[in-house]
mmCIF file of all heavy atoms in Angstrom:
data_model
loop_
_atom_site.group_PDB
_atom_site.id
_atom_site.type_symbol
_atom_site.label_atom_id
_atom_site.label_comp_id
_atom_site.label_asym_id
_atom_site.label_seq_id
_atom_site.Cartn_x
_atom_site.Cartn_y
_atom_site.Cartn_z
ATOM 1 N N SER U 279 -20.957 -33.619 -6.639
ATOM 2 C CA SER U 279 -22.014 -34.625 -6.604
ATOM 3 C C SER U 279 -22.640 -34.720 -5.212
ATOM 4 O O SER U 279 -22.065 -34.286 -4.208
ATOM 5 C CB SER U 279 -21.438 -35.990 -6.990
ATOM 6 O OG SER U 279 -20.651 -36.504 -5.925
ATOM 7 N N ARG U 281 -23.003 -37.373 -3.514
ATOM 8 C CA ARG U 281 -22.201 -38.291 -2.685
ATOM 9 C C ARG U 281 -21.081 -37.534 -1.967
ATOM 10 O O ARG U 281 -20.812 -37.770 -0.786
ATOM 11 C CB ARG U 281 -21.628 -39.415 -3.556
ATOM 12 C CG ARG U 281 -20.861 -40.451 -2.770
ATOM 13 C CD ARG U 281 -20.551 -41.677 -3.612
ATOM 14 N NE ARG U 281 -19.689 -42.582 -2.887
ATOM 15 C CZ ARG U 281 -18.443 -42.889 -3.239
ATOM 16 N NH1 ARG U 281 -17.924 -42.360 -4.334
ATOM 17 N NH2 ARG U 281 -17.710 -43.712 -2.521
ATOM 18 N N VAL U 282 -20.427 -36.617 -2.682
ATOM 19 C CA VAL U 282 -19.373 -35.813 -2.065
ATOM 20 C C VAL U 282 -19.977 -34.876 -1.023
ATOM 21 O O VAL U 282 -19.444 -34.720 0.083
ATOM 22 C CB VAL U 282 -18.597 -35.015 -3.131
ATOM 23 C CG1 VAL U 282 -17.620 -34.046 -2.475
ATOM 24 C CG2 VAL U 282 -17.850 -35.964 -4.063
ATOM 25 N N MET U 510 -5.995 -35.655 -6.475
ATOM 26 C CA MET U 510 -7.089 -36.294 -7.192
ATOM 27 C C MET U 510 -6.526 -37.225 -8.269
ATOM 28 O O MET U 510 -5.442 -36.984 -8.799
ATOM 29 C CB MET U 510 -7.977 -35.235 -7.845
ATOM 30 C CG MET U 510 -8.581 -34.224 -6.878
ATOM 31 S SD MET U 510 -9.618 -34.993 -5.623
ATOM 32 C CE MET U 510 -10.894 -35.738 -6.648
ATOM 33 N N GLY U 511 -7.276 -38.251 -8.607
ATOM 34 C CA GLY U 511 -6.821 -39.168 -9.650
ATOM 35 C C GLY U 511 -6.669 -38.505 -11.002
ATOM 36 O O GLY U 511 -5.922 -38.985 -11.861
ATOM 37 N N ASN U 512 -7.352 -37.378 -11.217
ATOM 38 C CA ASN U 512 -7.265 -36.629 -12.468
ATOM 39 C C ASN U 512 -6.279 -35.469 -12.375
ATOM 40 O O ASN U 512 -6.233 -34.607 -13.252
ATOM 41 C CB ASN U 512 -8.640 -36.072 -12.842
ATOM 42 C CG ASN U 512 -9.279 -35.295 -11.702
ATOM 43 O OD1 ASN U 512 -9.849 -35.902 -10.794
ATOM 44 N ND2 ASN U 512 -9.164 -33.975 -11.715
ATOM 45 N N CYS U 525 -6.237 -40.152 -4.430
ATOM 46 C CA CYS U 525 -7.577 -40.736 -4.366
ATOM 47 C C CYS U 525 -8.120 -40.931 -5.786
ATOM 48 O O CYS U 525 -7.420 -40.676 -6.765
ATOM 49 C CB CYS U 525 -8.512 -39.867 -3.539
ATOM 50 S SG CYS U 525 -8.898 -38.256 -4.256
ATOM 51 N N ASP U 526 -9.337 -41.361 -5.893
ATOM 52 C CA ASP U 526 -9.963 -41.575 -7.200
ATOM 53 C C ASP U 526 -10.230 -40.213 -7.854
ATOM 54 O O ASP U 526 -10.055 -39.157 -7.254
ATOM 55 C CB ASP U 526 -11.260 -42.361 -7.029
ATOM 56 C CG ASP U 526 -11.607 -43.186 -8.267
ATOM 57 O OD1 ASP U 526 -11.122 -42.846 -9.362
ATOM 58 O OD2 ASP U 526 -12.365 -44.162 -8.127
ATOM 59 N N THR U 527 -10.675 -40.245 -9.098
ATOM 60 C CA THR U 527 -10.898 -39.018 -9.855
ATOM 61 C C THR U 527 -12.123 -38.265 -9.357
ATOM 62 O O THR U 527 -12.962 -38.801 -8.619
ATOM 63 C CB THR U 527 -11.115 -39.337 -11.346
ATOM 64 O OG1 THR U 527 -12.314 -40.114 -11.478
ATOM 65 C CG2 THR U 527 -9.939 -40.097 -11.919
ATOM 66 N N ILE U 528 -12.237 -37.013 -9.808
ATOM 67 C CA ILE U 528 -13.403 -36.212 -9.442
ATOM 68 C C ILE U 528 -14.676 -36.837 -10.011
ATOM 69 O O ILE U 528 -15.737 -36.803 -9.383
ATOM 70 C CB ILE U 528 -13.229 -34.750 -9.927
ATOM 71 C CG1 ILE U 528 -14.349 -33.867 -9.374
ATOM 72 C CG2 ILE U 528 -13.161 -34.666 -11.445
ATOM 73 C CD1 ILE U 528 -14.121 -32.382 -9.634
ATOM 74 N N GLN U 529 -14.557 -37.446 -11.200
ATOM 75 C CA GLN U 529 -15.732 -38.069 -11.811
ATOM 76 C C GLN U 529 -16.233 -39.251 -10.980
ATOM 77 O O GLN U 529 -17.418 -39.586 -10.997
ATOM 78 C CB GLN U 529 -15.402 -38.539 -13.231
ATOM 79 C CG GLN U 529 -15.150 -37.424 -14.220
ATOM 80 C CD GLN U 529 -13.707 -36.911 -14.185
ATOM 81 O OE1 GLN U 529 -12.889 -37.392 -13.403
ATOM 82 N NE2 GLN U 529 -13.405 -35.945 -15.042
ATOM 83 N N ASN U 530 -15.323 -39.901 -10.250
ATOM 84 C CA ASN U 530 -15.686 -41.052 -9.418
ATOM 85 C C ASN U 530 -15.801 -40.696 -7.939
ATOM 86 O O ASN U 530 -15.721 -41.588 -7.080
ATOM 87 C CB ASN U 530 -14.662 -42.173 -9.608
ATOM 88 C CG ASN U 530 -14.697 -42.763 -11.001
ATOM 89 O OD1 ASN U 530 -15.746 -42.793 -11.652
ATOM 90 N ND2 ASN U 530 -13.558 -43.237 -11.480
ATOM 91 N N ASP U 531 -15.985 -39.415 -7.650
ATOM 92 C CA ASP U 531 -16.206 -38.964 -6.272
ATOM 93 C C ASP U 531 -15.056 -39.351 -5.345
ATOM 94 O O ASP U 531 -15.257 -39.832 -4.214
ATOM 95 C CB ASP U 531 -17.528 -39.512 -5.715
ATOM 96 C CG ASP U 531 -18.735 -39.045 -6.503
ATOM 97 O OD1 ASP U 531 -18.661 -37.950 -7.090
ATOM 98 O OD2 ASP U 531 -19.748 -39.771 -6.527
ATOM 99 N N GLY U 532 -13.807 -39.122 -5.822
ATOM 100 C CA GLY U 532 -12.637 -39.529 -5.059
ATOM 101 C C GLY U 532 -12.565 -38.936 -3.664
ATOM 102 O O GLY U 532 -12.144 -39.607 -2.713
ATOM 103 N N VAL U 533 -12.978 -37.680 -3.506
ATOM 104 C CA VAL U 533 -12.927 -37.041 -2.192
ATOM 105 C C VAL U 533 -13.847 -37.767 -1.210
ATOM 106 O O VAL U 533 -13.464 -38.033 -0.066
ATOM 107 C CB VAL U 533 -13.313 -35.548 -2.298
ATOM 108 C CG1 VAL U 533 -13.519 -34.945 -0.911
ATOM 109 C CG2 VAL U 533 -12.237 -34.777 -3.047
ATOM 110 N N ALA U 534 -15.051 -38.092 -1.648
ATOM 111 C CA ALA U 534 -16.006 -38.773 -0.771
ATOM 112 C C ALA U 534 -15.463 -40.126 -0.319
ATOM 113 O O ALA U 534 -15.545 -40.486 0.865
ATOM 114 C CB ALA U 534 -17.340 -38.954 -1.488
ATOM 115 N N THR U 535 -14.900 -40.884 -1.248
ATOM 116 C CA THR U 535 -14.357 -42.198 -0.907
ATOM 117 C C THR U 535 -13.234 -42.080 0.110
ATOM 118 O O THR U 535 -13.168 -42.810 1.099
ATOM 119 C CB THR U 535 -13.855 -42.919 -2.165
ATOM 120 O OG1 THR U 535 -14.938 -43.075 -3.088
ATOM 121 C CG2 THR U 535 -13.287 -44.284 -1.831
ATOM 122 N N TRP U 536 -12.307 -41.120 -0.119
ATOM 123 C CA TRP U 536 -11.162 -40.960 0.771
ATOM 124 C C TRP U 536 -11.619 -40.547 2.165
ATOM 125 O O TRP U 536 -11.122 -41.055 3.170
ATOM 126 C CB TRP U 536 -10.190 -39.937 0.194
ATOM 127 C CG TRP U 536 -8.821 -39.999 0.842
ATOM 128 C CD1 TRP U 536 -7.731 -40.658 0.392
ATOM 129 C CD2 TRP U 536 -8.432 -39.365 2.080
ATOM 130 N NE1 TRP U 536 -6.681 -40.490 1.266
ATOM 131 C CE2 TRP U 536 -7.088 -39.709 2.317
ATOM 132 C CE3 TRP U 536 -9.101 -38.561 2.997
ATOM 133 C CZ2 TRP U 536 -6.379 -39.257 3.428
ATOM 134 C CZ3 TRP U 536 -8.404 -38.118 4.130
ATOM 135 C CH2 TRP U 536 -7.061 -38.463 4.328
#
Side-chain angles (χ1 to χ4, degrees):
S279 74
R281 184 169 173 245
V282 173
M510 302 300 298
N512 52 279
C525 67
D526 208 338
T527 64
I528 188 171
Q529 292 84 0
N530 293 330
D531 299 332
V533 169
T535 301
W536 196 96

